């Protein structure tokens, strides 16, 4: 069994890569350990940079995104009992961000693959990869099989097998002394734009999922058990952290899902070994405060698809040879921004009164300074990957 590009993982990175390659006439096979229903239900980030939206539209999978996505021109920093709007579009030459759940992107891409003759194999567990004589060994329906290929794309996430196949890699990592308790609630949003709130009680984020569904987050201790957070406690804590002097009201409703997620920064270098190329969470993790994880994955595979297209078209390895360095420049920019947003907005449990006052001073500066707000906006909206 043989293909041109073997792709481990049917998350948005692997599926979009397969789709972009098909537009260039390059065959691929996507191998995913989970079943289709599980993949289409995984709840993940849903904040898309302008460049990510442009890639999805430009590759022909943006119809439902354009119909159902929520476009945002700004966000709010809330602290000291008051909100301070950061006008993203005004500060970035008209660029926007769009709320559209990763779950929906995955559904769109899965639906697009059969129509283009794509080969996505669910419940196909990748066991090992060989970057030098490129092949992937996987198990499906109880049978161990080998898929030979020209190139392997490791899009199998942080816990996948591909990263371990890069010998001598250098790992950079930081864990944070807090986690996020995230909920999906059956209640229309109480805001038109995202709210990032800082208080002495800790961080809170009001995100949006649709006109009828809200996504909210609370900073909690990484050791907390989700069972210790009944719905009533969650809503009470959210009200306390979002409280304003002008009496802003938070609507509550049934909690559909809740989970606690630890926060870390992680980068492995290089992102390539021989014929194996890592993309997305297989190569890097960012704390979610900066909304960069999904966007970095889309950027990685956009770069990789262009590099593979050039190689198959002309035999040139220039873009493939530059792949790791090209991606890592953007990865480290996003890592820094995510770290900055995280430390700016979260309460460190080791923090004293002096540290708290420094954070408030920094937030006041960002809210008052056009230059500081523009820096936040430029990083939040992001650079544009090119098809």
């Amino acid at each position: 069994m043989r293909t041109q590009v073997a792709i481990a993982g049917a998350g948005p990175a692997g599926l979009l890569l397969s789709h972009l390659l098909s537009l260039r006439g390059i065959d691929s096979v996507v191998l995913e350990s989970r079943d289709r229903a599980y993949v289409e239900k995984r709840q993940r980030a849903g904040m898309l940079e302008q460049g990510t939206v442009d890639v999805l539209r430009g590759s022909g999978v943006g119809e439902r995104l354009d119909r159902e996505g929520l476009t945002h021109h700004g966000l709010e920093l809330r602290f000291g009992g008051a909100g301070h709007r950061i006008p993203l579009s005004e500060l970035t030459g008209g660029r926007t961000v769009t709320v559209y759940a990763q779950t929906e992107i995955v559904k769109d891409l899965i639906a697009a693959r059969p129509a283009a003759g794509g080969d996505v194999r669910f419940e196909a567990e990748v066991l090992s990869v060989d970057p030098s004589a490129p092949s992937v060994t996987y198990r499906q329906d109880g049978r161990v099989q080998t898929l030979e290929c020209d190139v392997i794309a490791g899009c199998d996430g942080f816990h996948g097998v591909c990263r371990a196949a890069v010998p001598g890699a250098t790992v950079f990592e930081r864990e944070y002394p807090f986690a996020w308790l995230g909920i999906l609630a059956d209640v229309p949003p109480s805001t038109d734009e995202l709210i990032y709130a800082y208080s002495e009680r800790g961080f809170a984020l009001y995100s949006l999922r649709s006109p009828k569904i809200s996504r909210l987050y609370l900073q909690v201790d990484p050791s907390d058990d989700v069972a210790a957070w009944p719905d009533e406690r969650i809503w009470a804590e959210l009200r306390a952290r979002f409280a304003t002097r002008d009496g802003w009201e938070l609507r509550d409703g049934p909690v559909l899902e809740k989970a606690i997620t630890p926060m870390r920064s992680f980068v492995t270098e290089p992102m390539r070994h021989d014929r194996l190329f890592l993309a997305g969470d297989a190569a890097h993790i960012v704390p979610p405060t900066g909304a960069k994880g999904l966007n970095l994955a889309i950027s990685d595979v956009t770069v990789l698809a262009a590099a593979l297209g050039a190689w198959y078209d002309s035999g040139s390895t220039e873009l493939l040879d530059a792949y790791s360095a090209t991606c890592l420049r953007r990865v480290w920019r996003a890592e820094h921004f995510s770290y900055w947003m995280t430390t700016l907005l979260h309460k460190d449990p080791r923090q004293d009164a002096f540290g708290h006052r420094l954070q408030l001073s920094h937030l006041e500066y960002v809210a008052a300074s056009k230059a500081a707000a523009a820096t936040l906006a430029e990083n939040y909206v992001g650079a544009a990957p090119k098809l």
Side-chain angles (χ1 to χ4, degrees):
M1 193 183 339
R2 180 172 180 81
T3 189
Q4 290 177 288
V5 181
I7 302 172
L15 290 168
L16 180 61
L17 177 60
S18 179
H19 181 67
L20 294 176
L21 292 175
S22 73
L23 296 177
R24 291 173 164 83
I26 301 169
D27 292 332
S28 65
V29 174
V30 181
L31 302 171
E32 167 59 48
S33 62
R34 302 283 192 166
D35 62 35
R36 177 172 177 172
Y38 179 90
V39 170
E40 291 186 337
K41 289 181 180 177
R42 280 188 290 211
Q43 294 293 334
R44 294 291 188 273
M47 178 58 69
L48 310 184
E49 296 176 356
Q50 178 74 66
T52 296
V53 172
D54 292 344
V55 166
L56 295 172
R57 284 176 179 154
S59 63
V61 289
E63 181 181 351
R64 201 159 64 94
L65 162 64
D66 285 335
R67 189 170 65 248
E68 300 178 13
L70 305 177
T71 301
H72 290 270
H73 299 273
L75 61 81
E76 180 183 321
L77 296 180
R78 185 173 292 188
F79 59 91
H84 307 268
R85 186 173 186 270
I86 305 297
L88 299 175
S89 297
E90 179 184 321
L91 294 168
T92 60
R95 283 183 285 165
T96 61
V97 291
T98 301
V99 174
Y100 188 66
Q102 176 174 312
T103 310
E104 306 309 317
I105 295 174
V106 167
K107 290 177 183 176
D108 294 341
L109 288 167
I110 289 175
R113 300 310 303 123
D119 189 345
V120 181
R121 304 181 187 181
F122 294 100
E123 299 180 87
E125 179 188 6
V126 174
L127 303 175
S128 64
V129 298
D130 185 341
S132 300
S135 63
V136 177
T137 301
Y138 69 99
R139 181 189 295 113
Q140 188 177 36
D141 297 327
R143 295 174 52 232
V144 175
Q145 305 175 64
T146 298
L147 175 64
E148 297 180 345
C149 54
D150 299 327
V151 168
I152 304 164
C155 306
D156 53 346
F158 185 76
H159 299 290
V161 304
C162 288
R163 186 173 65 251
V166 179
T170 302
V171 170
F172 302 88
E173 188 171 15
R174 172 164 294 180
E175 294 191 0
Y176 296 86
F178 30 75
W180 275 12
L181 167 61
I183 67 167
L184 196 66
D186 186 9
V187 59
S190 302
T191 177
D192 294 327
E193 296 181 332
L194 276 74
I195 303 172
Y196 286 79
Y198 169 76
S199 76
E200 290 191 70
R201 302 179 70 93
F203 169 76
L205 170 63
Y206 202 125
S207 184
L208 298 88
R209 182 52 54 88
S210 76
K212 296 181 179 180
I213 300 293
S214 295
R215 188 79 166 160
L216 300 101
Y217 299 90
L218 281 171
Q219 175 187 343
V220 297
D221 190 278
S223 64
D224 275 7
D225 186 340
V226 72
W229 285 90
D231 296 359
E232 296 78 8
R233 182 186 178 194
I234 292 172
W235 288 116
E237 191 63 30
L238 286 167
R239 286 192 187 89
R241 297 190 193 185
F242 284 123
T244 62
R245 291 188 297 270
D246 63 5
W248 181 85
E249 292 186 9
L250 173 68
R251 291 193 291 266
D252 62 24
V255 175
L256 305 175
E257 297 178 7
K258 55 183 161 181
I260 292 178
T261 304
M263 300 178 69
R264 65 157 57 94
S265 298
F266 178 94
V267 181
T268 186
E269 297 185 6
M271 291 172 59
R272 176 197 180 175
H273 172 62
D274 211 338
R275 294 290 184 89
L276 169 65
F277 297 82
L278 303 179
D281 288 359
H284 42 74
I285 299 286
V286 289
T289 326
K292 294 299 168 198
L294 171 60
N295 295 290
L296 284 177
I298 299 301
S299 177
D300 288 348
V301 298
T302 303
V303 172
L304 183 55
L308 289 169
W311 181 50
Y312 279 111
D313 286 346
S314 68
S316 171
T317 64
E318 181 180 358
L319 295 180
L320 285 177
D321 292 339
Y323 171 75
S324 183
T326 300
C327 291
L328 284 168
R329 279 194 294 273
R330 179 167 182 181
V331 167
W332 279 111
R333 178 67 252 145
E335 289 283 355
H336 178 263
F337 177 67
S338 300
Y339 166 81
W340 178 77
M341 285 282 283
T342 300
T343 53
L344 175 67
L345 290 161
H346 289 73
K347 181 181 180 182
D348 191 315
R350 302 159 297 192
Q351 183 186 75
D352 57 15
F354 181 79
H356 170 62
R357 193 62 191 87
L358 283 178
Q359 271 186 281
L360 284 176
S361 176
H362 196 169
L363 283 162
E364 289 164 358
Y365 170 67
V366 173
S369 165
K370 185 175 182 179
T375 297
L376 187 158
E378 285 283 352
N379 280 275
Y380 196 85
V381 171
K386 293 180 174 56
L387 284 171

